[in-house]
Amino acid sequence: MADLERAGTEKPRANNSYNPNQYYAGTQEHQWTSWLIPMFVVANIIVFIVAMFINNCPRNNTGIDGKCVAKFLGRLSFQPLQENPLFGPSSSTLEKLGALEWFKVVHGHQGWRLVTCIWLHAGVIHLLANMLSLIFIGIRLEQQFGFVRVGIIYLLSGLGGSILSALFIQRNISVGASGALFGLLGAMLSELLTNWSIYTNKAAALLTLIVIIAINLAVGILPHVDNFAHIGGFLAGFLLGFILLLRPQFGWMESRNLPADTHVKSKHKPYQYILLLLASALLIAGLTTGLVLLFKGENLNKHCSWCHYLSCVPTSRWKCGN
């Protein structure tokens, strides 16, 4: 299949998933009700069903790559596995519905594809991997920080992933929400760093999160996986975490010796504001520069001869294209 799916982050397992609450030395905070992330999940599923309906394999399949899969689904049946092993629509259908395609973004003035591509998925396997990851990561963040901040991180990270992807991958189309998902992971990392003083077992928390991120980025070196979207989304989310996920730094150790009804004033520390300002400047500069370079038609592979290895490392078992 010609398109690149943005592979979802690995589903956290019950015994080793990163849960910031287990390291957090805070008092009982207001817990938000998570509704935005479930809505994102439902929206992605609906978009995939619509894509399969429009795809209509029984009518449009030429038969060159084999027969449609799961014909009992009617027009929702999947493309031949030789064409799409992820049980999904054709590349032409994804392209029609808004997949990221460099030529159409730059020369066709279709910048909206930078956003629409994060709502499309290459197949059922791709969709399930991303949605399970979104549920495990996103709901917990939304409960802690609310729908506004998490929604902003998700959407801007998706945009950042699309921009970096289009600057490096210019011969294939790309779809998937995992750039946004990596943004949530990046935000979790920066949230830990900027709120460092209110966590217990800091080293364990940091190591756990870094291992999860490293494993999922390593998956991106496989062929047909758009790791540039992962990296761009992660970097955008990492900076956004410093901006949006600050917690007041409480004097926990001191407050333990005070009467239970004593109010301890909450405050942020100077380093948090410094990180906020630096992250804001870098985020604005990065997104602006990326968009300018993209619409000028730049191909960053010409300026970085080794960067293509970040998205695919050739081995004896597979080769890497663009």
Side-chain angles (χ1 to χ4, degrees):
M1 188 177 181
D3 59 293
L4 296 173
E5 68 272 10
R6 302 173 180 186
T9 54
E10 181 182 14
K11 177 181 175 182
R13 298 179 181 176
N15 62 343
N16 65 358
S17 61
Y18 175 73
N19 180 0
N21 288 336
Q22 66 185 327
Y23 306 109
Y24 180 52
T27 56
Q28 293 297 319
E29 289 188 325
H30 170 70
Q31 289 288 306
W32 297 78
T33 300
S34 177
W35 61 268
L36 183 64
I37 294 300
M39 281 189 61
F40 281 171
V41 172
V42 172
N44 276 278
I45 294 173
I46 291 175
V47 169
F48 182 74
I49 294 173
V50 171
M52 293 308 305
F53 184 83
I54 294 173
N55 186 68
N56 195 1
C57 181
R59 178 179 178 181
N60 299 320
N61 181 38
T62 60
I64 297 176
D65 295 315
K67 298 180 180 180
C68 299
V69 178
K71 284 188 175 181
F72 63 90
L73 295 175
R75 65 184 295 157
L76 297 180
S77 58
F78 310 118
Q79 291 297 116
L81 294 182
Q82 185 176 347
E83 178 183 351
N84 185 349
L86 298 176
F87 299 96
S90 65
S91 297
S92 59
T93 297
L94 293 172
E95 182 181 342
K96 183 191 304 181
L97 293 177
L100 182 60
E101 184 181 3
W102 174 82
F103 186 86
K104 291 189 175 182
V105 170
V106 176
H107 300 289
H109 307 291
Q110 298 178 12
W112 46 269
R113 289 179 179 270
L114 295 169
V115 177
T116 56
C117 65
I118 70 176
W119 302 97
L120 295 168
H121 287 83
V124 172
I125 297 175
H126 188 204
L127 177 69
L128 286 177
N130 276 350
M131 293 306 100
L132 287 174
S133 299
L134 180 57
I135 289 171
F136 275 89
I137 299 170
I139 287 181
R140 185 172 292 151
L141 276 177
E142 187 179 355
Q143 288 173 340
Q144 291 181 328
F145 296 100
F147 70 93
V148 174
R149 286 183 279 186
V150 172
I152 291 173
I153 292 172
Y154 184 88
L155 295 174
L156 286 183
S157 296
L159 175 63
S162 295
I163 292 172
L164 191 64
S165 173
L167 286 170
F168 281 98
I169 299 176
Q170 302 184 350
R171 291 186 295 181
N172 295 325
I173 65 173
S174 179
V175 295
S178 53
L181 291 173
F182 269 86
L184 296 181
L185 281 175
M188 291 174 70
L189 178 59
S190 55
E191 188 272 327
L192 171 62
L193 295 176
T194 194
N195 300 319
W196 186 255
S197 64
I198 63 175
Y199 278 92
T200 60
N201 300 321
K202 299 176 177 63
L206 182 61
L207 180 61
T208 301
L209 190 51
I210 289 176
V211 168
I212 292 173
I213 293 169
I215 290 174
N216 287 289
L217 284 174
V219 173
I221 66 174
L222 297 173
H224 303 297
V225 177
D226 185 358
N227 213 26
F228 288 115
H230 298 174
I231 296 170
F234 175 80
L235 292 175
F238 182 70
L239 295 175
L240 284 164
F242 288 119
I243 300 169
L244 297 176
L245 303 186
L246 281 73
R247 295 182 192 264
Q249 306 298 287
F250 303 87
W252 298 116
M253 298 302 296
E254 296 82 354
S255 65
R256 289 180 180 180
N257 300 321
L258 297 176
D261 58 347
T262 302
H263 177 70
V264 179
K265 185 178 180 181
S266 305
K267 63 179 181 179
H268 294 90
K269 292 191 174 181
Y271 78 86
Q272 289 182 293
Y273 292 115
I274 295 174
L275 289 173
L276 185 153
L277 292 174
L278 287 175
S280 299
L282 289 173
L283 181 67
I284 294 172
L287 291 177
T288 302
T289 302
L291 286 170
V292 170
L293 291 174
L294 175 60
F295 287 106
K296 284 179 63 178
E298 289 288 337
N299 183 347
L300 293 192
N301 288 297
K302 296 179 180 179
H303 305 284
C304 181
S305 60
W306 57 268
C307 284
H308 61 278
Y309 291 117
L310 295 174
S311 189
C312 183
V313 177
T315 70
S316 59
R317 294 182 177 271
W318 64 72
K319 297 180 180 180
C320 298
N322 181 19

